[in-house]
Amino acid sequence: MQPPGSQQPQRDSRSFVEGNIQSAVGMIRAIDECINTSTFGRIFRLKGSGHPEAILDANFTTELRAGLTTFATMSYIIAVNASILADTGYDCLCELPLDSLGNCQNKDEWEMCHQEVRLDLITATCAIAGLASILMGFLTNLPVALAPGMGLNAYFTYQVVGIKGSGSISFGLALMAVFLEGWIFVILALTGMRHWLVKIIPSSIKIASGVGIGLFLTLIGMSYSSGVGIITGASSTPLAIGGCPAEDLTATGECSRDILTNPKMWVGIIFGGIFTAFLMAFRVKSAIVIGITLVSILSWPRNTAMTYFPDTAEGNLRWDYFKKVVSFHPIEHTLGQLEWNLGGNPGRFALALFTFLYVDIIDCTATLYSMARFCGRVRPSDKDFPRSTIAFCTDAVCISVGALFGTSPVTAFIESGAGVAEGGRTGLTAMTTGFCFLLSLFFAPIFASIPPWATGSTLILVGCLMIRQVTRINWNYIGDAVPSFVTLTFIPFSYSVAYGLIAGLFSYAVLNLMIFVVIKASRGTLVPKDYEVKEYWTWKPAGEKPWIVRVFSKNRNWDDGRELKEDAGFPSHTTEPDSHSYRQSPVPSPEKVSSHFSRPE
């Protein structure tokens, strides 16, 4: 039994700690109140700013913390994007033929040039990600960060330019295709056509794309390249359990032995996942940042089982770069390398341009809308988010600017969801992320050394948060449920937001067109089950018409959607499934169904 007096120092110590915590919390609240109510806070619609459109849960310090979280989950792109794009060689001369190992005849010279190109691309990636994120945050006030996108950078490298420049077109011509793609996007955005394309996507498929992105993030977080490495590819099955050290992976990517024994995986799961979730359960601020930082620090010492710098050629290269801490590398090989002569291979150029165009427009559009919905910025009236046209134009211009820096297309990053989960609601989140990328121009050795298992569990946690909206899909009617399910499953399993959305839209169009034809041919006698609760859809969504359409029509806005619903005999809900208030109504007659799908102007 302790003497009575011995408890007094413990109480004093506890009171001291609690007093410091309360003092820090009070200081943070004072900073929030001071900045929120200033002109700065009014610009970004912070809580208490007095602006009529103020965001009630947006605070200055929360936005900064959310921006740091988004950067922490996106920082892998600094090293990964540079590593992928550098495989093309850019202007490094590779003397042919290649040897049996795929090396150039001038191997040593090419390797030195390749390393310089990789450092160039680290600088270019930091610069364009910082610039694009700051512009997006300031101009749109959305917590969405931009950077060169995964997927399109691989397409750029391995299918268009080719490893060591062995592809169908040169790297300069491929950059020209990216440059032109951006300006085509600007035209589509200014004419309102890109905006219109977003609004006519059925509501359930929009929600399903957000759920699919959550599953996509989960899959990325479980992978070896960008996550904890708990799953891997297989030859007999699409996926297999992983968790073995990377050196135990076979040529097909499977674990040959020692599954679930990799210390790096367990450090990522325990400290980056379970511990972070524990902190989130008690609403600890910066829980995600704490988890990522803790795992990174544990992974930096050498000669440990979980080190990010093993005693290998690649590990030594990482360590030498990490030791620099502060380093700025000027761009020498990738800046302003556009090739303006399109006559060499116009067919291949057109194919690359078209592929960049349709994949990026669907990918970025789906991500922007999903992030806007995730942070509660979608307007119930027209299912749109504020400053959407500016957002699309900003993304488009940054694509072209990125091509000048020498990078593949810039796009909205789904990892922005991590910042939203941390409380980000305004453009301050994206701007904070952007400034972190600009800071990385000088501290790239540090930020490029955050291991993938440090951010993998974070992506899984964000995926958990994003799939909660799956209950808002209209599962009551098969014509909405099946395309939504196709969308949310194809996104992770095809490893592409664009292809998942394409699959969902295709199945929606085919299935509902077949149903429409049967109803019309049977004059309303054959109607699918629960047809009365289907979601309302029209190619003339609520709000303004695209500018290019207004030129050739009388009215500025489309006809009111409620009038269309009542005329067609459809339920009068707006099919924003926040509440499942699907009101039954009589089955429409064929004449009304026909007029619903082809109402005259």
Side-chain angles (χ1 to χ4, degrees):
M1 183 174 179
Q2 295 180 348
S6 65
Q7 297 180 0
Q8 185 62 35
Q10 296 180 4
R11 293 197 188 102
D12 293 343
S13 177
R14 188 182 304 114
S15 299
F16 176 76
V17 173
E18 291 176 352
N20 285 339
I21 292 176
Q22 292 176 0
S23 176
V25 171
M27 184 180 301
I28 291 174
R29 288 177 177 173
I31 293 174
D32 281 338
E33 184 176 357
C34 178
I35 296 181
N36 287 3
T37 55
S38 66
T39 303
F40 181 86
R42 189 175 177 86
I43 292 174
F44 290 98
R45 315 291 196 262
L46 299 179
K47 177 183 177 181
S49 63
H51 195 281
E53 298 178 0
I55 302 169
L56 299 181
D57 56 347
N59 291 299
F60 176 71
T61 56
T62 303
E63 298 298 311
L64 298 184
R65 186 176 68 247
L68 292 174
T69 301
T70 298
F71 172 75
T73 57
M74 284 179 61
S75 58
Y76 71 89
I77 196 64
I78 296 175
V80 174
N81 185 63
S83 178
I84 292 174
L85 293 179
D87 285 346
T88 62
Y90 280 69
D91 61 351
C92 297
L93 178 62
C94 177
E95 295 181 1
L96 302 176
L98 302 179
D99 62 20
S100 59
L101 297 178
N103 296 317
C104 305
Q105 295 296 317
N106 56 334
K107 177 183 175 183
D108 293 339
E109 292 83 356
W110 193 90
E111 289 292 343
M112 290 181 60
C113 182
H114 172 265
Q115 179 64 12
E116 292 179 1
V117 168
R118 192 178 72 87
L119 295 178
D120 281 5
L121 288 168
I122 286 177
T123 301
T125 301
C126 292
I128 189 58
L131 176 63
S133 297
I134 291 172
L135 286 176
M136 177 64 78
F138 182 75
L139 296 176
T140 70
N141 203 31
L142 289 173
V144 179
L146 305 179
M150 294 294 293
L152 281 177
N153 56 2
Y155 174 76
F156 179 97
T157 298
Y158 303 117
Q159 297 184 28
V160 178
V161 182
I163 297 177
K164 297 181 174 66
S166 60
S168 56
I169 62 177
S170 66
F171 78 95
L173 207 56
L175 290 174
M176 189 64 195
V178 175
F179 181 79
L180 291 179
E181 173 208 353
W183 290 112
I184 293 174
F185 275 172
V186 170
I187 295 172
L188 290 175
L190 291 178
T191 57
M193 294 306 297
R194 188 174 180 182
H195 194 194
W196 174 77
L197 288 172
V198 177
K199 295 176 72 173
I200 65 171
I201 296 175
S203 179
S204 277
I205 291 185
K206 289 178 184 176
I207 299 171
S209 66
V211 176
I213 287 174
L215 295 174
F216 189 15
L217 285 175
T218 302
L219 188 61
I220 293 173
M222 291 182 174
S223 68
Y224 271 85
S225 60
S226 304
V228 295
I230 198 172
I231 61 171
T232 182
S235 57
S236 57
T237 58
L239 295 175
I241 193 70
C244 62
E247 55 268 20
D248 291 335
L249 293 174
T250 65
T252 58
E254 299 180 70
C255 286
S256 59
R257 58 179 180 172
D258 299 332
I259 62 171
L260 300 180
T261 61
N262 191 354
K264 299 173 182 178
M265 178 197 71
W266 287 113
V267 167
I269 291 175
I270 293 173
F271 294 102
I274 297 175
F275 181 66
T276 301
F278 170 77
L279 296 179
M280 292 171 67
F282 289 93
R283 299 183 180 180
V284 175
K285 304 299 184 182
S286 304
I288 294 177
V289 174
I290 292 172
I292 294 173
T293 304
L294 180 59
V295 176
S296 297
I297 292 174
L298 290 174
S299 303
W300 282 340
R302 301 202 78 175
N303 301 319
T304 66
M306 63 200 69
T307 182
Y308 188 55
F309 310 109
D311 191 16
T312 62
E314 183 180 4
N316 292 332
L317 190 64
R318 292 177 187 167
W319 177 251
D320 292 339
Y321 187 55
F322 176 73
K323 288 190 299 183
K324 293 181 180 179
V325 182
V326 179
S327 175
F328 176 78
H329 180 83
I331 301 177
E332 299 175 358
H333 295 269
T334 67
L335 187 65
Q337 295 288 344
L338 302 184
E339 183 178 327
W340 295 90
N341 182 13
L342 309 182
N345 200 336
R348 294 289 185 178
F349 174 82
L351 178 61
L353 174 60
F354 178 75
T355 303
F356 284 137
L357 194 64
Y358 88 84
V359 172
D360 208 22
I361 192 171
I362 296 176
D363 194 341
C364 182
T365 297
T367 302
L368 274 174
Y369 187 89
S370 297
M371 292 301 108
R373 176 183 290 277
F374 190 34
C375 67
R377 300 294 299 279
V378 175
R379 294 188 296 260
S381 58
D382 58 1
K383 312 299 179 295
D384 195 12
F385 57 91
R387 309 183 192 178
S388 55
T389 300
I390 298 177
F392 294 141
C393 287
T394 303
D395 165 62
V397 170
C398 290
I399 289 174
S400 296
V401 175
L404 295 176
F405 279 95
T407 68
S408 55
V410 172
T411 188
F413 256 61
I414 56 179
E415 283 83 356
S416 302
V420 175
E422 192 67 23
R425 297 294 180 269
T426 74
L428 279 176
T429 296
M431 293 182 68
T432 302
T433 302
F435 282 119
C436 287
F437 272 112
L438 293 183
L439 191 63
S440 299
L441 287 170
F442 306 97
F443 293 93
I446 298 295
F447 295 118
S449 300
I450 296 177
W453 55 88
T455 59
S457 291
T458 294
L459 298 180
I460 295 173
L461 291 173
V462 173
C464 172
L465 297 175
M466 292 193 68
I467 68 168
R468 292 185 297 181
Q469 56 187 320
V470 71
T471 58
R472 301 165 66 182
I473 295 173
N474 180 22
W475 298 109
N476 298 314
Y477 175 61
I478 196 73
D480 295 324
V482 169
S484 299
F485 182 73
V486 169
T487 302
L488 68 90
T489 53
F490 260 69
I491 287 177
F493 296 143
S494 67
Y495 224 70
S496 169
V497 176
Y499 291 140
L501 193 54
I502 289 171
L505 292 173
F506 176 78
S507 60
Y508 182 92
V510 173
L511 179 58
N512 285 282
L513 180 61
M514 292 169 62
I515 292 172
F516 165 72
V517 171
V518 169
I519 293 177
K520 187 173 182 181
S522 66
R523 301 185 62 81
T525 58
L526 292 177
V527 179
K529 180 183 178 182
D530 297 324
Y531 189 69
E532 67 275 5
V533 295
K534 78 180 298 292
E535 286 188 345
Y536 171 74
W537 179 88
T538 177
W539 63 273
K540 299 188 293 185
E544 290 186 351
K545 300 176 182 177
W547 172 83
I548 196 68
V549 175
R550 292 203 302 267
V551 172
F552 302 100
S553 60
K554 297 179 180 179
N555 301 324
R556 182 180 183 86
N557 298 327
W558 298 113
D559 292 336
D560 184 70
R562 294 182 181 178
E563 177 188 349
L564 288 176
K565 295 172 199 173
E566 293 170 359
D567 288 350
F570 281 82
S572 60
H573 58 80
T574 58
T575 66
E576 178 70 13
D578 296 324
S579 61
H580 294 283
S581 57
Y582 296 100
R583 193 175 74 188
Q584 293 189 355
S585 64
V587 175
S589 65
E591 292 78 6
K592 288 189 175 182
V593 171
S594 177
S595 64
H596 165 67
F597 283 93
S598 58
R599 184 181 177 91
E601 191 61 37

